[in-house]
Amino acid sequence: MNDTATRAWAEPLATGVALADEGLRLLWVNPALAELLDIGPRSAVGQSLAVLLHRPAWMALAERALREPSPHQLRGIDIPSVRGETVRVDVSMQRLASGELLLEVHALAPPAASDTPLSATLRGFAHEVKNPLAGLRGAAQLLQRRVEDEQLRNLAGLVIAEADRLAALANRLLRHDGAAAQLGEVNIHQQLERLGDLLLAEPSPPTLRHDYDPSLPDIYGDADRLLQLLLNLARNAIEAGATTLTFRTRAEPAVRLGERMARMALRVDVIDDGPGVPEPLRDTLFEPLVSGRADGSGLGLALAREIAREHGGELRHVGRAGETTFSLYLPMGHAHD
């Protein structure tokens, strides 16, 4: 990859990227890294790489990276910005065919006392998914402008909307500001209809059935997070072999949600005709990294339960082969009353 190609590739990335010459002086930094270091991209040019790798041992590793073809890594190091603040990052360094040194700098979220293993795993995933999402969104925008078929434009718009939603979720995870969720009145049936649109846009969509109680009021919550929960339940069922999904809503009195009793709860059932949850997994079904599929991540149901609890609710499972039900219980009114 030549210098021009490297810059064109790295300019829009959220990941920090820099090029250094054989004397370890910066030739170029992309906007993301300039923002991280709190310096102007132009003023960085000509400065020593020590502005980023300020410790002698780190600079020595950069010198090695210039001499050796294999990548070199620095994990969890603290780098200073011009204003004196420190940022924890991972740095990857690799020599290019031109003899220059390419650096990729990934900012890490600061550890929080309230972190769970799931939260830490999700933030790592959120960091890695942001760049592919940006590329996905850009491709969908290009298609939307070029195709004439209205249905195809609508599908491209759906991709753009989902990319924006997932990017917002990723940013929230990276900032660890889940307490500052976008709370408001949520019509659960609108979210289920949107879920149906997403599923029917897939190459082999399932058969969808609806059994709604139209008298149910809006609830208080984060619409995007609740949609993500429902999407995880539906995708989990489809990946397990279900071909038909039923979305059912009901009001249920006197439901225990965590440590308290809700006088009335909204229940959303996602029912599928798949083979059911294997018996050995039923007791640990909602734990992180537990999956019944060889290619499964084991994060979908764990995240769904975490979102339910963020809303003061619960996620439960009952089922047998041919009829598996995951039930989301949410308190009526404000989630934390």
Side-chain angles (χ1 to χ4, degrees):
M1 184 181 292
N2 60 38
D3 179 68
T4 302
T6 300
R7 298 187 189 197
W9 160 74
E11 192 77 22
L13 294 183
T15 298
V17 178
L19 280 175
D21 63 18
E22 295 179 359
L24 294 183
R25 294 196 172 274
L26 290 169
L27 296 171
W28 171 83
V29 301
N30 74 340
L33 183 56
E35 182 179 354
L36 192 68
L37 297 175
D38 197 29
I39 57 177
R42 291 184 180 179
S43 64
V45 174
Q47 293 196 44
S48 169
L49 187 57
V51 70
L52 174 65
L53 306 178
H54 59 283
R55 292 189 180 178
W58 299 345
M59 289 293 287
L61 187 65
E63 291 173 357
R64 281 186 56 194
L66 274 174
R67 298 192 301 269
E68 301 172 2
S70 58
H72 290 66
Q73 310 282 341
L74 288 167
R75 299 288 188 183
I77 66 171
D78 293 322
I79 62 171
S81 71
V82 170
R83 291 181 295 183
E85 300 173 349
T86 59
V87 183
R88 178 151 291 187
V89 300
D90 287 344
V91 180
S92 175
M93 299 176 283
Q94 184 163 16
R95 188 187 71 193
L96 300 178
S98 61
E100 296 162 345
L101 187 65
L102 174 68
L103 298 98
E104 296 182 45
V105 182
H106 300 267
L108 304 176
S114 60
D115 270 1
T116 64
L118 174 60
S119 296
T121 301
L122 289 173
R123 280 204 306 283
F125 173 76
H127 182 274
E128 295 302 319
V129 83
K130 286 183 68 177
N131 288 335
L133 276 177
L136 183 69
R137 190 186 195 283
Q141 283 182 310
L142 187 62
L143 284 173
Q144 194 177 45
R145 289 197 296 266
R146 293 188 176 182
V147 298
E148 297 182 0
D149 185 274
E150 183 177 357
Q151 185 176 8
L152 292 178
R153 285 201 301 269
N154 290 338
L155 287 174
L158 186 64
V159 172
I160 292 169
E162 281 302 288
D164 288 342
R165 182 179 68 83
L166 292 176
L169 289 172
N171 285 332
R172 194 177 308 158
L173 284 169
L174 288 171
R175 292 195 302 267
H176 198 65
D177 60 357
Q182 303 300 309
L183 298 176
E185 299 295 326
V186 178
N187 184 309
I188 199 65
H189 297 136
Q190 289 180 356
Q191 298 307 104
L192 288 168
E193 291 299 300
R194 185 176 173 189
L195 170 62
D197 290 341
L198 293 173
L199 297 176
L200 292 175
E202 296 189 351
S204 300
T207 299
L208 299 182
R209 296 174 179 167
H210 304 90
D211 181 6
Y212 295 161
D213 179 350
S215 69
L216 291 174
D218 290 351
I219 58 171
Y220 193 72
D222 183 323
D224 282 346
R225 294 282 278 171
L226 290 172
L227 177 60
Q228 186 64 53
L229 185 162
L230 295 167
L231 185 60
N232 286 357
L233 295 181
R235 286 257 168 82
N236 193 70
I238 294 168
E239 290 170 0
T243 59
T244 300
L245 298 180
T246 301
F247 303 143
R248 181 172 62 197
T249 59
R250 294 289 187 271
E252 186 154 328
V255 178
R256 178 165 292 281
L257 301 177
E259 298 300 318
R260 69 185 184 91
M261 183 69 70
R263 288 175 300 194
M264 187 66 68
L266 181 149
R267 190 185 85 229
V268 182
D269 297 327
V270 177
I271 307 165
D272 71 74
D273 64 348
V277 177
E279 182 67 35
L281 297 183
R282 292 183 182 178
D283 291 340
T284 57
L285 185 60
F286 296 109
E287 297 300 319
L289 307 181
V290 172
S291 176
R293 304 190 315 277
D295 60 346
S297 67
L299 292 177
L301 291 178
L303 175 59
R305 183 176 67 171
E306 188 169 282
I307 295 171
R309 290 180 173 177
E310 286 175 4
H311 287 76
E314 288 288 346
L315 188 60
R316 298 171 187 167
H317 159 265
V318 294
R320 61 184 184 276
E323 186 177 297
T324 301
T325 303
F326 284 88
S327 297
L328 168 65
Y329 294 86
L330 296 170
M332 297 283 198
H334 286 207
H336 298 290
D337 282 351

